[in-house]
Amino acid sequence: MKGIVLAGGSGTRLHPITQAVSKQLLPVYDKPMIYYPISVLMFAGIRDILIISTPADLPNFQRLLGDGSKFGLNFSYAEQPSPNGLAEAFVIGADFVGDDDVALVLGDNIFYGQGFSSRLRTEVSTLDGCVLFGYPVKDPERYGVGEVDGDGKLVSIEEKPAHPKSNKAITGLYFYDNEVVEIARSLKPSPRGELEITDVNLSYLRAGRAKLVDLGRGFAWLDTGTHDSLLEAGQFVQVLEHRTGVRIACLEEVALRMGFITADECFTLGAALAKSGYGDYLMAVAKSAGAA
């Protein structure tokens, strides 16, 4: 499976901050926002990742992440000149996806919960069509909403419904088989001029090949699109890291745990950041994993 991080848009809800820098490069406590969605793809076992952003912002992502080799990954980059909808990611990334299945994650979404990695890898290995991830919210009318029947089967998807049939918001993480590329290419723009991800999901639903995984209680899903939600996400990460002593979405540590890099390579990455607590943490993690 290939992975796509969609990190475009102009971040207008975060102006004036995002008039100078991409939203997905803003800090969420101790690391850039884009580290969080990249870590989700890594936990799913994905190593080939396409970063899609605006022509103006793309060089900054390349400067931050490079070719991905230091994380044991392969990063590619592509431009989305205008915010023409989430589904355009599959049109832009068609050559990158090739004949593989693909995961799409939005660059401003943060996921955290026990057992998440194993759940992701299970869904990758058993993928048949489309897998969406639902999360219970108190204001489902603000989201795309998935409705399941008594057997847990997905039966309807509605975008920002006035009268939601469930409280399950569809999060910004999507798994698709290779058919998604042709589905996205065949879409017509919606009244707001975008290729809608909901239309992609409805295509799979009509074919009986869409599944909704309930992330449920004990899990955290945050999006960071407003000043308040950005601050709350940073505070959430800070509290968890201080309480547990474990850093969330630390790409170097995830790469080590997933077997993408060695303990010695992890230590070298930490040493390069030795003047920060982040670097000290990496070196300690690497030593505990057997770094020389």
Side-chain angles (χ1 to χ4, degrees):
M1 180 177 274
K2 301 280 181 63
I4 297 176
V5 181
L6 187 56
S10 52
T12 52
R13 290 186 298 162
L14 284 169
H15 280 177
I17 307 170
T18 47
Q19 288 177 305
V21 63
S22 167
K23 172 172 68 174
Q24 291 85 3
L25 289 170
L26 295 176
V28 177
Y29 185 46
D30 56 354
K31 60 194 76 70
M33 188 187 297
I34 197 169
Y35 272 38
Y36 296 86
I38 289 174
S39 73
V40 170
L41 298 180
M42 294 171 71
F43 280 129
I46 296 169
R47 301 179 73 167
D48 292 309
I49 297 172
L50 176 67
I51 310 292
I52 298 178
S53 189
T54 66
D57 291 322
L58 211 55
N60 293 326
F61 288 103
Q62 291 173 298
R63 188 159 48 249
L64 172 68
L65 299 167
D67 64 3
S69 57
K70 66 180 179 181
F71 305 116
L73 306 174
N74 301 302
F75 285 129
S76 303
Y77 298 89
E79 296 180 355
Q80 185 185 39
S82 303
N84 295 325
L86 307 187
E88 191 183 34
F90 304 111
V91 179
I92 293 169
D95 290 341
F96 165 79
V97 175
D99 296 325
D100 293 318
D101 297 337
V102 60
L104 173 67
V105 62
L106 304 187
D108 61 356
N109 275 218
I110 296 173
F111 297 84
Y112 179 78
Q114 296 301 314
F116 190 39
S117 180
S118 59
R119 180 179 291 187
L120 291 175
R121 292 198 295 276
T122 297
E123 296 303 333
V124 169
S125 65
T126 59
L127 179 67
D128 178 23
C130 153
V131 175
L132 309 174
F133 295 85
Y135 185 78
V137 295
K138 66 183 180 199
D139 47 359
E141 61 277 358
R142 292 181 50 225
Y143 301 91
V145 174
E147 178 195 9
V148 296
D149 63 17
D151 297 322
K153 183 179 178 182
L154 184 62
V155 293
S156 77
I157 300 171
E158 293 181 289
E159 187 65 29
K160 297 180 180 176
H163 304 287
K165 295 177 182 176
S166 87
N167 69 338
K168 299 290 190 302
I170 295 173
T171 68
L173 175 64
Y174 316 85
F175 288 175
Y176 299 103
D177 65 11
N178 191 255
E179 191 180 344
V180 72
V181 174
E182 288 308 315
I183 291 173
R185 281 173 167 160
S186 68
L187 291 180
K188 299 289 189 292
S190 67
R192 60 178 186 168
E194 297 187 5
L195 300 183
E196 303 287 354
I197 200 72
T198 297
D199 290 338
V200 172
N201 298 335
L202 286 171
S203 178
Y204 279 99
L205 180 64
R206 286 191 289 267
R209 301 179 64 233
K211 173 182 178 182
L212 184 71
V213 174
D214 185 3
L215 295 175
R217 296 176 63 182
F219 198 91
W221 169 58
L222 311 168
D223 105 24
T224 51
T226 67
H227 298 108
D228 283 343
S229 61
L230 179 62
L231 179 62
E232 288 165 2
Q235 292 171 329
F236 173 82
V237 173
Q238 181 197 37
V239 168
L240 271 176
E241 292 190 352
H242 283 198
R243 292 277 176 87
T244 64
V246 175
R247 298 205 177 221
I248 299 170
C250 174
L251 298 189
E252 298 88 347
E253 182 181 11
V254 175
L256 176 62
R257 304 292 187 214
M258 294 297 295
F260 299 166
I261 62 173
T262 66
D264 287 339
E265 288 170 330
C266 183
F267 185 89
T268 300
L269 293 173
L273 304 171
K275 291 188 177 180
S276 72
Y278 190 94
D280 291 339
Y281 173 80
L282 279 180
M283 289 188 286
V285 166
K287 285 180 180 176
S288 70

